[in-house]
Amino acid sequence: MRNGFQTALLIFCFKLLALPLLAQNSTPSVDSKLDELRNALDELSARIEVQATRQPPSPSANLNEKAIYENAVNAAANEKKLRDLRREFEALEASAAATQENTINLRILQAELNALKQERSLRPLRDSPLKGISEPNSPPATQQVGTPPSQATLPPPTSTENTPQPTWLFFASLCVFLMIIGFAVREIGLSHARNGVNAVMKAMLTLSIGMATFVFAGFPLMFGIDFAWITHTSASDSIWSFWLLQSGFVVVAASICSGATGERTRFGNYLLVILIFTGVVYPLLAQFAWGSRVSYFGYPGSLGWLEKLGFVDFGGSAVIHGIGGAFALAGIKILGPRHERFSNDGLPKIVTGHSLPQAAVGTLLVWLGWFGLGLGQTLSAGYEIQTVGRISVNFAIAAAGGSVFASLSVWRQRGRSDLNFALNGILAGLVAVSASADQIHPLVALLIGGVAGLFAAWGIAYLENRQLDDVVGAVPVHLYAGVWGTLAVSLVGPFSLEFFLIQLLGITAICGLAYLIGILVFKAVEIGLGLRASDEDQAAGLDFSEHATTAYPEFDLQES
């Protein structure tokens, strides 16, 4: 009787310890086994409890010693079996815990790395600072932006039906290449006529070198795939279209640096800087936030540490424009201003490009190509293609807001409008809204773009006061607006300090490292090979000194 009571107490205590463990989520591979063990434990517990509570026969009764002995033997056997099952259960429970931990490390950090993007296509727009703006008849959200990964609901595995379509990605890539053309035309228009050929050559070689280095080095570094991937990838694999899109992004980032540092670099040595940037700098920094996007194309990807934290950058406010803008800032810092850009007392001289209408056409081409960027990011982030409509509207509205706010700012300050500020406002609005274009209402996009236009307008004066010479205004447009847009992701909905700090950490790490690496790269090339063109060559024009030609034959450039 005493032994039976002890056994029942042991079972009762064990059940108190084991049942909560059984209640935890486990992986499908051990769920069925754990259920079987649980049922077996319950059955054995019931049998032992019955035996433990059975009263022995009275002394006056006819005692059946054999039955009592068999009951005792059975109870002992049941206790031994229970101990064996308990050991087996503990082993399986430990295995389940390990498997569950692997699930968190793999599914949450790989599948859920894009949960924010996948769920945004299904969830309503988050509440914005503009009250009353909401998405009607939307299904409930399973995770808000900024929810820590440990608290997020695991998304379902990506199905083959949602696999990005190579045809649409190819079309999006063409639009991104239209952006590259626009940046080149814009740089030409904002440069002096004597540097037109140099600007075109830089644009062409930036594109060519960027694509060549990205296919062999940058793409594998950024996404953690085999460096020999092009040798064993089938012709029908959709990753080719994904590479084309991503190569366009890296060239866009490099074009930002080209425009900011224009009219004062030696052509050949500058190409070395572009080689380093497109092959190493951009891929390594972009991996922080986008390293797993290749997983939608059947590759494991390389999960970035910012992705693990829940950092959000849908269209590249930090990844493309933050990296390019910070690297450009390092370039203009090391190179110094153009010849005679500032007076002897440090005041900036009024310098305009030789063709502002050409710069306007280039800006409009960039604006048009930006819609393709939205399409490409929509598909490569796991969305349905139907969601690209509102994303494109957000791009359009943000660009309009940026142009209006920048124009009004300079109009109020100077008493007249300025075309260049209006053009910069367009690009600043596009840059800022890129990080959150997939989740905000167009009126919020207007607000984000408008604030970015102010940053673009004020940023020019800020640089000039520090004698930093940015030919096309790339640093205010891409870096300042990119920082604002990245932080704005955490401000357009219910405020979360944790999410704001994640966004702040992400933009600081990406842009800070890009700037520091840029300082090292530009300084090393300047000291080792010479990067800045001489004042005499700048005065004569880089078309003549670097290329022995001229963009406009009617100009009389003599070789002397």
Side-chain angles (χ1 to χ4, degrees):
M1 178 67 180
R2 182 178 180 182
N3 291 337
F5 177 78
Q6 291 176 348
T7 302
L9 181 60
L10 174 64
I11 297 303
F12 178 77
C13 294
F14 171 68
K15 288 173 66 177
L16 288 178
L17 295 174
L19 288 179
L21 295 175
L22 288 169
Q24 296 180 355
N25 292 332
S26 59
T27 57
S29 60
V30 298
D31 277 345
S32 59
K33 185 62 178 177
L34 292 178
D35 289 340
E36 293 177 2
L37 286 176
R38 181 178 181 180
N39 294 334
L41 290 174
D42 291 340
E43 181 180 355
L44 285 173
S45 299
R47 292 172 58 186
I48 293 175
E49 288 173 359
V50 169
Q51 292 176 359
T53 57
R54 182 174 298 168
Q55 296 295 330
S58 62
S60 60
N62 184 15
L63 298 179
N64 190 339
E65 298 294 339
K66 183 176 181 180
I68 296 175
Y69 176 77
E70 289 178 355
N71 287 339
V73 170
N74 290 336
N78 286 338
E79 289 179 348
K80 181 178 183 302
K81 186 176 182 180
L82 181 60
R83 287 193 298 269
D84 294 339
L85 286 175
R86 180 179 180 179
R87 285 193 294 269
E88 183 179 357
F89 171 79
E90 290 175 348
L92 284 175
E93 196 279 332
S95 175
T99 306
Q100 185 179 22
E101 182 178 357
N102 291 334
T103 301
I104 294 174
N105 292 333
L106 295 176
R107 289 193 63 201
I108 289 182
L109 298 182
Q110 288 184 355
E112 194 210 27
L113 61 92
N114 293 300
L116 298 173
K117 293 83 176 178
Q118 289 179 349
E119 292 168 358
R120 283 189 215 116
S121 62
L122 299 175
R123 71 168 185 250
L125 289 174
R126 300 186 298 134
D127 295 335
S128 68
L130 304 179
K131 301 300 183 182
I133 299 175
S134 60
E135 185 76 6
N137 301 325
S138 298
T142 57
Q143 177 189 357
Q144 294 289 344
V145 173
T147 301
S150 60
Q151 301 176 11
T153 303
L154 282 175
T158 304
S159 65
T160 56
E161 296 179 358
N162 294 330
T163 300
Q165 302 177 23
T167 303
W168 283 111
L169 283 175
F170 176 72
F171 177 76
S173 302
L174 295 183
C175 292
V176 174
F177 273 67
L178 189 62
M179 292 174 59
I180 298 172
I181 296 173
F183 279 122
V185 174
R186 173 179 163 82
E187 181 179 351
I188 295 169
L190 293 177
S191 301
H192 290 94
R194 60 180 180 267
N195 297 316
V197 171
N198 180 257
V200 174
M201 286 293 294
K202 288 202 315 179
M204 295 300 100
L205 270 297
T206 296
L207 173 61
S208 302
I209 292 176
M211 295 186 68
T213 55
F214 194 68
V215 70
F216 293 110
F219 192 69
L221 279 176
M222 181 173 174
F223 296 106
I225 62 177
D226 187 2
F227 278 89
W229 69 278
I230 59 174
T231 63
H232 52 69
T233 303
S234 65
S236 59
D237 198 319
S238 59
I239 197 175
W240 296 112
S241 297
F242 180 68
W243 173 86
L244 191 63
L245 179 70
Q246 294 297 324
S247 67
F249 292 159
V250 69
V251 174
V252 167
S255 299
I256 296 170
C257 181
S258 174
T261 60
E263 298 195 298
R264 57 189 183 275
T265 57
R266 300 184 63 85
F267 180 68
N269 297 342
Y270 174 78
L271 296 182
L272 176 59
V273 174
I274 293 299
L275 178 70
I276 298 172
F277 177 81
T278 56
V280 180
V281 179
Y282 175 87
L284 290 180
L285 298 181
Q287 187 273 337
F288 294 171
W290 284 2
S292 65
R293 291 200 172 186
V294 74
S295 62
Y296 286 101
F297 300 84
Y299 292 77
S302 175
L303 189 69
W305 64 275
L306 288 178
E307 288 181 290
K308 298 179 183 179
L309 296 177
F311 180 78
V312 175
D313 183 12
F314 168 74
S317 295
V319 172
I320 299 174
H321 306 284
I323 294 175
F327 198 80
L329 178 60
I332 63 177
K333 178 76 173 178
I334 296 300
L335 288 170
R338 287 168 288 175
H339 178 56
E340 295 185 345
R341 175 64 177 85
F342 295 92
S343 62
N344 294 332
D345 56 3
L347 296 177
K349 297 181 179 180
I350 298 177
V351 178
T352 59
H354 79 281
S355 178
L356 288 181
Q358 188 172 348
V361 172
T363 303
L364 293 176
L365 288 175
V366 174
W367 191 353
L368 178 60
W370 217 287
F371 296 118
L373 180 148
L375 173 62
Q377 297 291 48
T378 299
L379 296 178
S380 61
Y383 287 119
E384 297 292 343
I385 193 172
Q386 290 83 357
T387 62
V388 76
R390 195 189 67 206
I391 293 174
S392 298
V393 171
N394 286 336
F395 281 147
I397 296 299
S403 181
V404 170
F405 276 59
S407 299
L408 292 177
S409 175
V410 70
W411 202 338
R412 181 179 181 275
Q413 180 182 2
R414 301 181 180 180
R416 64 181 184 276
S417 60
D418 190 296
L419 175 60
N420 194 27
F421 279 81
L423 299 178
N424 285 345
I426 291 174
L427 298 183
L430 291 168
V431 169
V433 82
S434 293
S436 58
D438 59 326
Q439 58 176 301
I440 58 175
H441 191 278
L443 290 181
V444 181
L446 179 66
L447 178 61
I448 292 177
V451 175
L454 296 178
F455 277 115
W458 299 337
I460 295 293
Y462 179 81
L463 292 178
E464 289 180 344
N465 290 337
R466 285 153 181 77
Q467 297 191 23
L468 295 174
D469 183 15
D470 185 344
V471 176
V472 300
V475 172
V477 165
H478 297 277
L479 178 59
Y480 299 168
V483 171
W484 153 243
T486 303
L487 296 178
V489 180
S490 63
L491 303 177
V492 296
F495 181 74
S496 167
L497 179 60
E498 179 184 5
F499 183 42
F500 175 79
L501 294 177
I502 290 174
Q503 294 296 105
L504 180 61
L505 173 64
I507 192 65
T508 302
I510 290 175
C511 295
L513 287 174
Y515 177 76
L516 293 177
I517 296 173
I519 290 290
L520 295 176
V521 171
F522 277 99
K523 194 67 175 180
V525 176
E526 171 67 17
I527 294 176
L529 301 174
L531 186 58
R532 179 183 170 88
S534 65
D535 291 346
E536 292 77 11
D537 288 344
Q538 293 183 48
L542 298 183
D543 286 0
F544 177 74
S545 62
E546 295 291 326
H547 311 287
T549 187
T550 176
Y552 304 95
E554 64 271 20
F555 287 5
D556 184 18
L557 299 178
Q558 299 180 355
E559 293 189 32
S560 59

